[in-house]
């Protein structure tokens, strides 16, 4: 199969033998070119100011409308893409589409920031900064229109290399958020030395906030740490009002989760905004 795949122009791929299933190989081969075939989609999940509920920005989350398998969530293909340079092509597509959509919203008077998830291979690949520069220029967007989410493990894996790229991003003016924070073991010293803008507390601590004292302790100390370092704090996976209230009390700046909205089709965003304005204008008794 491998030889055949290479004959078809699939890039060389050498995974651990136990993880190289034929199904994975086929899916990966299909994923290459999915963007050009119009099979990729972006959904956008609102990120709201904790104090006011005001929409601050949106996180772009990729989906794959697969011709046979239906709508696939990133769980079924992002990790696979990350094993090869396919993740670079995927991220190219996501950045271009997010910038196009952001431009369209701005043209409608919606001044929104869009966050894009960036994997280790992409952050360290060397093409990210020039690509961001050109995508911003192409759509006439200020650098503040886009924001990157990188996971804690991406920072940890090659800290010197990460520091270099983060410095270039800071210079460019594109903000960087540390995603899924609290799941790795980033040293406080390392965190304070990197040019970062935002910390996103991982959803697991949010879901346990009201029931698990250990999760509440982590949520509180992450907040204190982040604010001392001058970072904006986001809590993700907020599903109920009680949890949102507690996160506000602790001091989180931004909240994201099903309580506010699931990842939305961009066409549904104006409707969602109008419904919220209507609800704010006539609060329940
Ligand atoms: P993430 O960046 O941590 O994104 C948050 C995930 O939590 C999203 O899942 C979102 O739909 C889900 N979520 C949001 N609110 C809630 C909630 O209230 N409760 C619960 N239970 N879940 C919630 P999704 O869209 O399936 O994305 C999963 C992961 O896939 C993302 O985690 C991110 O790591 C990765 N991913 C998504 N899009 C991209 C992309 O364009 N590029 C890269 N490299 N990775 C991506
Ligand atoms: Mg994210
Ligand atoms: Mg996350
Ligand atoms: Mg995640």
């Amino acid at each position: 199969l491998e030889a055949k795949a290479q004959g078809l122009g699939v890039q060389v791929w050498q995974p651990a033998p136990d993880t190289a299933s034929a199904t994975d190989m086929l899916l990966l081969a299909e994923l290459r070119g999915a963007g050009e075939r119009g099979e990729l989609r972006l959904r956008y999940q609102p990120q709201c100011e904790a104090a006011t509920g005001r929409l601050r920005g949106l996180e772009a989350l990729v989906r794959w409308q697969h011709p046979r398998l239906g709508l696939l969530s990133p769980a079924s293909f992002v990790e696979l893409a990350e094993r090869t340079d396919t993740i670079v092509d995927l991220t190219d597509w996501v950045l271009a589409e997010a910038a196009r959509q952001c431009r369209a919203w701005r043209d409608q008077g919606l001044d929104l920031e869009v966050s894009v998830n960036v994997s280790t291979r992409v952050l360290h690949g060397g093409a990210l900064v020039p690509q961001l520069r050109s995508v911003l220029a192409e759509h006439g967007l200020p650098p503040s229109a886009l924001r990157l989410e990188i996971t804690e493990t991406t920072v940890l894996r090659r800290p010197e290399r990460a520091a270099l790229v983060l410095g270039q991003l800071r210079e460019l003016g594109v903000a960087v958020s540390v995603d899924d924070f609290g799941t790795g073991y980033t040293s406080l010293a390392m965190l304070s030395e990197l040019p970062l803008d935002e910390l996103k507390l991982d959803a697991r601590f949010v879901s346990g906030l009201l029931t698990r004292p250990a999760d509440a302790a982590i949520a509180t100390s992450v907040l204190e740490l982040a604010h001392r370092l001058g970072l904006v704090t986001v809590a993700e996976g907020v599903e109920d009002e009680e949890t949102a209230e507690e996160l506000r009390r602790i001091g989180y700046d931004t909240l994201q989760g099903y309580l506010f909205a699931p990842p939305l089709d961009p066409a549904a965003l104006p409707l969602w905004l109008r419904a919220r304005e209507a609800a704010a204008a006539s609060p329940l008794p």
Side-chain angles (χ1 to χ4, degrees):
L1 176 64
E2 197 159 348
K4 199 171 172 191
Q6 281 173 23
L8 290 169
V10 173
Q11 59 205 287
V12 180
W13 183 46
Q14 293 166 320
D18 58 324
T19 59
S21 83
T23 321
D24 283 357
M25 293 270 290
L26 178 60
L27 203 62
L28 189 59
E30 290 175 327
L31 183 55
R32 295 187 78 207
E36 288 95 86
R37 292 193 305 272
E39 294 169 7
L40 298 179
R41 309 272 180 275
L42 286 183
R43 295 289 174 265
Y44 296 86
Q45 187 172 37
Q47 302 179 323
C48 299
E49 240 172 51
T52 62
R54 196 186 68 89
L55 181 64
R56 186 206 70 163
L58 301 128
E59 179 175 6
L61 294 155
V62 72
R63 306 288 182 259
W64 181 9
Q65 186 66 56
H66 190 283
R68 291 189 322 279
L69 305 171
L71 192 67
L72 299 182
S73 85
S76 49
F77 63 92
V78 165
E79 238 183 85
L80 201 61
E82 283 173 343
R83 296 188 208 167
T84 72
D85 277 345
T86 301
I87 191 63
V88 177
D89 300 342
L90 180 84
T91 307
D92 283 355
W93 184 88
V94 171
L95 275 172
E97 175 57 18
R100 191 200 59 74
Q101 183 62 63
C102 189
R103 179 73 262 162
W105 280 327
R106 281 173 186 238
D107 291 343
Q108 296 165 35
L110 293 172
D111 240 6
L112 301 168
E113 292 169 18
V114 177
S115 294
V116 169
N117 292 283
V118 168
S119 308
T120 312
R121 198 187 272 260
V122 173
L123 186 80
H124 294 160
L128 181 62
V129 173
Q131 204 217 335
L132 275 167
R133 204 175 275 124
S134 86
V135 103
L136 290 168
E138 186 186 335
H139 296 280
L141 291 169
S144 59
L146 295 180
R147 171 182 302 268
L148 304 182
E149 296 192 6
I150 59 174
T151 64
E152 207 182 341
T153 38
T154 294
V155 178
L156 283 175
R157 207 162 300 158
R158 290 166 69 189
E160 293 82 12
R161 174 77 198 153
L164 190 83
V165 184
L166 292 174
Q168 294 169 347
L169 289 168
R170 170 64 57 88
E171 212 172 293
L172 177 61
V174 170
V176 176
S177 182
V178 183
D179 204 354
D180 303 341
F181 191 76
T183 54
Y185 300 90
T186 311
S187 84
L188 307 189
M190 188 187 293
L191 206 60
S192 70
E193 279 167 20
L194 293 171
L196 298 164
D197 301 281
E198 185 176 277
L199 280 195
K200 287 187 85 172
L201 177 70
D202 192 75
R204 81 173 65 170
F205 307 111
V206 173
S207 63
L209 188 66
L210 302 177
T211 50
R212 292 193 31 157
D215 288 352
I218 289 168
T220 307
S221 47
V222 166
L223 185 282
E224 277 172 15
L225 164 70
H227 280 182
R228 278 189 200 187
L229 297 176
L231 304 171
V232 173
T233 48
V234 183
E236 64 180 334
V238 182
E239 295 184 352
D240 59 85
E241 189 49 58
E242 293 70 31
T243 301
E245 196 42 54
E246 180 61 6
L247 288 162
R248 273 184 213 110
R249 195 192 63 75
I250 296 171
Y252 276 83
D253 301 301
T254 307
L255 308 180
Q256 176 181 353
Y258 297 161
L259 173 64
F260 302 92
L264 299 169
D265 185 303
L269 185 73
L271 220 72
W272 178 84
L273 277 169
R274 249 175 279 141
R276 279 178 67 86
E277 276 162 24
S282 58
L284 296 172

